[in-house]
Amino acid sequence: MTEHSDDDPFATGAGLDLLRDVGDADLKGQRLGDYRIESLVAEGGMSRVYRAHRSDGTFERDVAIKVSTLSSASDSLKARFEQEQQVLASLNHPNISQLFDARVNTDGRPYIVMEFIDGTGIVEYCSSNGLPERERIRLLIDVVNAVAYAHARLVIHRDIKPSNVMVGADGRVKLLDFGIAKLLEAEQALTQATPMTPKYASPEQLLGQPITVASDIAQLGLLAFEVLTGHALNESETMADAIRRAADGKPLSVPSGSKAQLPRELLQVIEQCLRADPDERYRDASSLARDLEAYIDGYPVSAVGQSASYRFRKWLTRNAATSATAALALITIVGGTAWYTLQLDTARQLAETQAEIARDEADKSREISEFLVELMGAPIPAKAKGEDILVLDVLDQGVDKLRDELGEQPALKGELMATLGEVYNELGEFEAADALLSDAVNVHRGLADSEPLALAHSIFAHSKYFQAQGERQTAIDMQNEAIALISVLPSRDAEELNASLLNAQGINYSTLNQWEESEGKYLEAIRVHEVLYGKDHLETSVPRANYGLMLAKVARFDEAIPLLETTYQVAMDELGPYHPWIAPRAINLASAYRRIGRDEDAERLYRIALDQDRKLYGEKHHNVASSLVSLARFIRGKGRRDESIEMAEEALEIEKASLGEDHVYTAETSTVLANWYITARRLEAADALLQVAEPILVEKLGDHLFTGNLVLAKSRLAYHSGDIQGHIALSHEAIGVYERAFDGKSERLLQPWIWIGNAYNELGDTTRAADAYGTGIASARQVNQEDAGLYERHAELLEADGRPDEAATARARAAELRGESSPD
């Protein structure tokens, strides 16, 4: 997006140039929100694109800002922006330019903040680099797969054209402006025209008819033609001609001169995309991608047909060496006719088998596409009442529909259940997610013999629900089952799933403080990712980032910090500041910085994470609450206690509203806030929070980190209420929970043992006090969390108890940890 676009969306006429008198002022040098406009990049009839820079102490980042020339934005548009930008910002795909924000300026003009792509338009890139046909098709496949990804999440592009497809210096293609036409659509009343580029519009767009995934397929066909030939298909067609053609039901035809530029199979692929009737085009983007992949790999292309002669010719092309041998044998071997007939029959059977598999996959993709198309176009009760339509409205209706209508298609039903279940899980709708994912697994178990990979995928999806609930061992067991299923499947899909499963297991073992198992899984995950994607790929950064977090947990900071810094920067460079991957990586790096004393850098990153979540999810999402608590913990450690309590209170209210009062995350935040209330001597408020949280955590989690934290908070409350014996008993109870939850090994064991030691010391029992400290220090040593100060305190208690030799040993260890010489 570094050059002016030659596309003028309104050059074809139809009177739409009346919009040009609105918002003509150049914004260069002005500010829009947090951004300063630096230069005009491109402009068309309804918008201008500027390069802008954010520099406010939170982010240093160049972005692209698309400003509508329409003014007087309605209240409905403003509300629409707030709803839709969250959905569009969640399109997390390496070939989709990230949408960061969508707002309405003070003068009423909508503007959209996007990832800035420093690259070249796809057509110019292909021409200037002299790319061969195969490489051009590879770029097109990446674009089509990006569109398929968005369609599966109920988002249509509506304006696919060469100027919206850029190729960066690294050769990676990026699709721009995804869904922005939908954002601007609410202003149709001003112009009586849907935002679009007529030269690249589908027939239904030209006629003002409902837009579906088929519209994007038509635009992909036009894009493919231009990428492969270097010129647009309908360069001379006026708007009036285009509307007349669409009204007459005539498809765009490829001129005879251009047909000579294209291989017959590619020509037929393009023509299928451009058919006038949407039902006759490819039924989804995945089907188009498969045909393009089939073409470059030498397999039959569905747009051409599946005749026996065509399939056999493709087989001969793919097996040139075998074909040559057959020809030689036919000439030199007596009785060669019988041999040749046998080979021909074998080839025909192989081709028919491949074609049958392709047809089955195509049928499934078509049915999924039809389901999603119908779902997006179906009447929704809220719509009938004139209310805003939310994503959950569509999802809920989709679930009802697939349960009611797909009983005879179990494979399709299972795949859709798994897909929608994962979406619910990502949205924090955990109860609905569990039900759908459980049903998906059950459906796929019935198809395990024919579709083991689908079963493995659904099991993995369900395991992520249990991860979100804190049931890590259950998740590990399910992931082991999935790994066993795919271990005998020699396909890239199986290898990619295996890579993801290994990374997930590394996370789970780390959470359980099983460091050796975690490190082994992470190193294997990194190795597999590097083989599949390359060492520096964004996907490979995922297990590397998680491995860095694990290393930081065990205080291996020399190894952890470089990994965490590198993987955080990779995500920022590839995805921009507003992406779901940024906040977790920022928080993990901040936590590591905090532990080595880089407090200023730590706070900056905690605030970046909070800012990112707020922009991406809105103010009332549970991810925002999580980032608030992370920042509050840090601020509390710096002595700003009142500020930390206010943040935790805000986080708790967000979780009550978004997750419900009986959710385990809500109960855990209640525990955190109760602890801080205890320190502030607000004991009644703390007690009230703990009484509500306790049955939730005990019932739903049992022996778990969150439950142990709650019992430990009750121990503190007992101490500050004057009940020393109750404090000791509850500290022992917390130790039991932690030991059972973490198999006897956890840094969490140290604190309650220290409290027990201090309590016994207050009661004058120095023997039990010193023994408790010793046990606590031993637990810390198990997880590489020793501290010199603890050994000094232990030495004091040992001396008070008349154990000078043990005290000397403790002091020697303290000196060793400080890097000092041991005292004589």
Side-chain angles (χ1 to χ4, degrees):
M1 195 179 292
T2 56
E3 57 188 354
H4 286 263
S5 168
D6 292 329
D7 292 331
D8 182 350
F10 299 93
T12 48
L16 293 177
D17 56 354
L18 60 90
L19 293 173
R20 296 184 184 276
D21 63 353
V22 183
D24 279 336
D26 190 350
L27 298 178
K28 183 178 179 181
Q30 298 183 31
R31 294 192 69 86
L32 276 180
D34 299 324
Y35 303 92
R36 180 176 179 82
I37 305 296
E38 294 189 341
S39 60
L40 180 67
V41 174
E43 63 180 316
M46 295 179 70
S47 63
R48 292 189 179 92
V49 180
Y50 294 92
R51 181 171 184 160
H53 185 75
R54 176 171 180 170
S55 180
D56 59 358
T58 305
F59 289 119
E60 292 279 344
R61 188 76 180 178
D62 284 338
V63 298
I65 299 184
K66 188 164 195 170
V67 184
S68 174
T69 55
L70 302 174
S71 64
S72 304
S74 63
D75 290 340
S76 64
L77 175 64
K78 296 175 183 177
R80 179 68 170 270
F81 262 41
E82 292 178 359
Q83 294 169 13
E84 296 295 344
Q85 72 95 6
Q86 294 181 41
V87 177
L88 298 176
S90 68
L91 293 179
N92 309 319
H93 191 279
N95 300 116
I96 295 178
S97 171
Q98 186 71 31
L99 171 68
F100 298 150
D101 205 356
R103 296 178 179 269
V104 177
N105 201 8
T106 53
D107 64 359
R109 278 185 288 169
Y111 69 91
I112 296 138
V113 183
M114 303 171 288
E115 176 184 3
F116 183 83
I117 307 299
D118 190 4
T120 308
I122 186 171
V123 175
E124 181 183 343
Y125 179 85
C126 291
S127 299
S128 61
N129 289 281
L131 289 193
E133 175 188 274
R134 185 181 185 85
E135 296 306 313
R136 297 181 188 225
I137 295 173
R138 284 290 181 199
L139 290 176
L140 285 170
I141 289 171
D142 286 343
V143 175
V144 176
N145 283 333
V147 173
Y149 168 88
H151 285 176
R153 284 150 182 80
L154 312 182
V155 179
I156 302 171
H157 192 291
R158 304 163 181 242
D159 197 20
I160 300 171
K161 56 186 178 182
S163 62
N164 272 341
V165 185
M166 307 292 288
V167 184
D170 60 354
R172 177 179 293 180
V173 69
K174 286 274 189 176
L175 183 53
L176 280 57
D177 283 9
F178 221 118
I180 287 176
K182 186 178 183 184
L183 281 175
L184 298 176
E185 177 177 75
E187 287 296 279
Q188 287 182 38
L190 292 178
T191 66
Q192 298 301 311
T194 302
M196 63 176 175
T197 305
K199 187 163 66 174
Y200 297 99
S202 66
E204 47 273 25
Q205 284 177 297
L206 292 166
L207 298 176
Q209 295 172 347
I211 307 302
T212 70
V213 295
S215 299
D216 279 357
I217 298 298
Q219 293 181 336
L220 286 169
L222 291 169
L223 176 71
F225 179 88
E226 194 159 345
V227 166
L228 292 168
T229 66
H231 58 85
L233 176 57
N234 55 340
E235 287 180 306
S236 61
E237 188 177 51
T238 67
M239 170 74 96
D241 291 337
I243 293 175
R244 189 178 304 112
R245 167 178 54 76
D248 292 343
K250 296 179 180 178
L252 266 173
S253 58
V254 178
S256 57
S258 296
K259 288 182 178 180
Q261 293 181 260
L262 295 167
R264 182 177 70 93
E265 290 164 299
L266 288 180
L267 177 63
Q268 289 180 270
V269 167
I270 291 170
E271 288 177 340
Q272 182 162 336
C273 292
L274 299 178
R275 288 174 183 165
D277 185 347
D279 291 337
E280 294 180 0
R281 299 173 201 155
Y282 285 99
R283 295 304 300 166
D284 56 53
S286 296
S287 299
L288 171 57
R290 273 196 299 276
D291 257 5
L292 292 172
E293 288 168 347
Y295 173 77
I296 61 176
D297 290 339
Y299 284 90
V301 173
S302 68
V304 177
Q306 294 294 331
S307 70
S309 60
Y310 171 59
R311 294 197 307 272
F312 184 59
R313 284 198 307 274
K314 299 300 289 185
W315 183 87
L316 287 176
T317 302
R318 291 195 310 277
N319 297 275
T322 303
S323 302
T325 301
L328 181 62
L330 181 64
I331 295 170
T332 61
I333 299 176
V334 177
T337 301
W339 180 91
Y340 176 76
T341 302
L342 176 63
Q343 295 302 309
L344 181 60
D345 184 60
T346 301
R348 182 171 59 250
Q349 291 178 17
L350 176 62
E352 288 175 352
T353 299
Q354 293 169 339
E356 184 177 355
I357 293 171
R359 282 195 299 272
D360 288 344
E361 289 298 313
D363 287 344
K364 184 187 288 186
S365 295
R366 175 179 53 76
E367 289 164 343
I368 291 173
S369 176
E370 288 175 351
F371 178 87
L372 294 173
V373 169
E374 292 175 13
L375 182 57
M376 286 186 279
I380 297 172
K383 186 175 182 180
K385 299 174 185 177
E387 300 171 2
D388 290 332
I389 309 302
L390 303 177
V391 173
L392 283 175
D393 294 329
V394 180
L395 289 175
D396 290 344
Q397 181 156 304
V399 172
D400 293 339
K401 182 180 178 67
L402 76 88
R403 290 191 187 281
D404 292 341
E405 299 181 12
L406 298 179
E408 301 302 318
Q409 303 174 75
L412 174 62
K413 185 174 184 176
E415 189 165 339
L416 284 167
M417 280 180 165
T419 298
L420 294 180
E422 286 197 90
V423 173
Y424 273 116
N425 205 43
E426 290 174 5
L427 292 174
E429 298 293 322
F430 297 120
E431 184 176 350
D434 184 27
L436 274 171
L437 293 169
S438 179
D439 287 348
V441 170
N442 290 335
V443 168
H444 282 127
R445 286 199 190 282
L447 305 169
D449 290 342
S450 59
E451 299 197 32
L453 185 61
L455 174 57
H457 270 293
S458 62
I459 290 172
F460 183 32
H462 200 196
S463 78
K464 287 186 279 189
Y465 159 78
F466 287 102
Q467 282 185 202
Q469 298 301 304
E471 298 183 40
R472 299 288 177 166
Q473 191 57 57
T474 300
I476 289 171
D477 292 342
M478 296 178 74
Q479 289 156 8
N480 281 333
E481 181 184 359
I483 289 171
L485 280 167
I486 63 175
S487 63
V488 295
L489 302 178
S491 70
R492 183 179 175 88
D493 287 343
E495 291 170 357
E496 289 178 349
L497 178 57
N498 183 55
S500 298
L501 284 160
L502 288 167
N503 176 65
Q505 291 203 313
I507 294 171
N508 288 320
Y509 280 122
S510 177
T511 304
L512 293 172
N513 288 346
Q514 297 180 28
W515 310 120
E516 185 176 346
E517 293 85 350
S518 176
E519 183 166 19
K521 294 294 182 182
Y522 279 138
L523 291 175
E524 179 65 8
I526 291 168
R527 186 194 65 78
V528 174
H529 275 78
E530 288 179 352
V531 170
L532 288 170
Y533 307 107
K535 183 176 180 180
D536 299 322
H537 196 278
L538 180 65
E539 288 292 336
T540 306
S541 76
V542 175
R544 286 167 59 83
N546 292 328
Y547 181 43
L549 175 60
M550 189 223 80
L551 292 172
K553 285 182 178 180
V554 295
R556 291 162 60 180
F557 295 113
D558 290 346
E559 301 168 79
I561 297 292
L563 269 176
L564 293 171
E565 288 175 335
T566 301
T567 53
Y568 171 71
Q569 195 57 51
V570 165
M572 287 289 284
D573 291 344
E574 293 283 338
L575 303 171
Y578 299 116
H579 186 282
W581 286 12
I582 302 301
R585 295 193 185 190
I587 288 172
N588 293 341
L589 180 55
S591 299
Y593 281 157
R594 175 182 58 79
R595 291 180 61 188
I596 62 172
R598 292 176 58 176
D599 289 344
E600 186 176 335
D601 289 332
E603 182 166 354
R604 176 179 59 83
L605 285 164
Y606 281 125
R607 292 193 180 278
I608 283 175
L610 179 58
D611 175 84
Q612 189 266 349
D613 280 340
R614 279 177 165 156
K615 291 289 178 61
L616 189 57
Y617 301 111
E619 293 288 342
K620 302 300 181 185
H621 194 276
H622 63 90
N623 283 0
V624 174
S626 178
S627 290
L628 270 169
V629 172
S630 294
L631 177 58
R633 289 181 192 272
F634 171 80
I635 285 173
R636 188 168 190 82
K638 304 306 294 178
R640 291 143 61 185
R641 293 184 172 181
D642 290 344
E643 187 180 353
S644 68
I645 286 176
E646 289 175 4
M647 285 185 173
E649 288 173 336
E650 181 184 353
L652 182 59
E653 291 307 311
I654 291 172
E655 288 181 335
K656 284 180 178 178
S658 62
L659 299 175
E661 296 194 12
D662 62 347
H663 195 281
V664 292
Y665 292 169
T666 310
E668 166 62 3
T669 301
S670 296
T671 302
V672 172
L673 185 56
N675 263 309
W676 295 352
Y677 280 162
I678 292 168
T679 302
R681 300 301 185 267
R682 295 167 60 179
L683 303 185
E684 289 185 6
D687 187 36
L689 286 174
L690 294 175
Q691 285 192 38
V692 172
E694 183 172 15
I696 297 168
L697 296 177
V698 170
E699 178 184 340
K700 293 190 176 184
L701 298 181
D703 292 326
H704 184 275
L705 169 66
F706 292 175
T707 313
N709 292 345
L710 179 131
V711 177
L712 206 59
K714 288 176 62 182
S715 169
R716 286 192 70 220
L717 181 62
Y719 177 83
H720 288 286
S721 300
D723 183 4
I724 302 298
Q725 291 296 342
H727 168 63
I728 293 172
L730 285 165
S731 294
H732 277 293
E733 184 180 337
I735 288 168
V737 173
Y738 289 140
E739 286 183 332
R740 291 188 295 273
F742 298 113
D743 198 23
K745 225 169 101 174
S746 172
E747 72 276 11
R748 300 284 175 171
L749 294 168
L750 174 62
Q751 187 67 69
W753 280 119
I754 297 306
W755 286 358
I756 291 169
N758 290 337
Y760 277 125
N761 191 50
E762 284 189 37
L763 295 173
D765 191 340
T766 54
T767 299
R768 288 186 176 179
D771 289 347
Y773 259 79
T775 305
I777 288 171
S779 70
R781 189 163 51 245
Q782 277 190 304
V783 292
N784 199 23
Q785 298 288 326
E786 292 178 278
D787 179 79
L790 288 175
Y791 280 99
E792 290 285 5
R793 176 60 178 151
H794 190 207
E796 292 172 3
L797 291 170
L798 288 166
E799 284 181 340
D801 196 45
R803 292 186 263 178
D805 291 343
E806 294 177 59
T809 301
R811 284 209 166 89
R813 181 56 180 158
E816 184 180 349
L817 289 170
R818 292 194 180 103
E820 303 169 355
S821 298
S822 299
D824 294 333

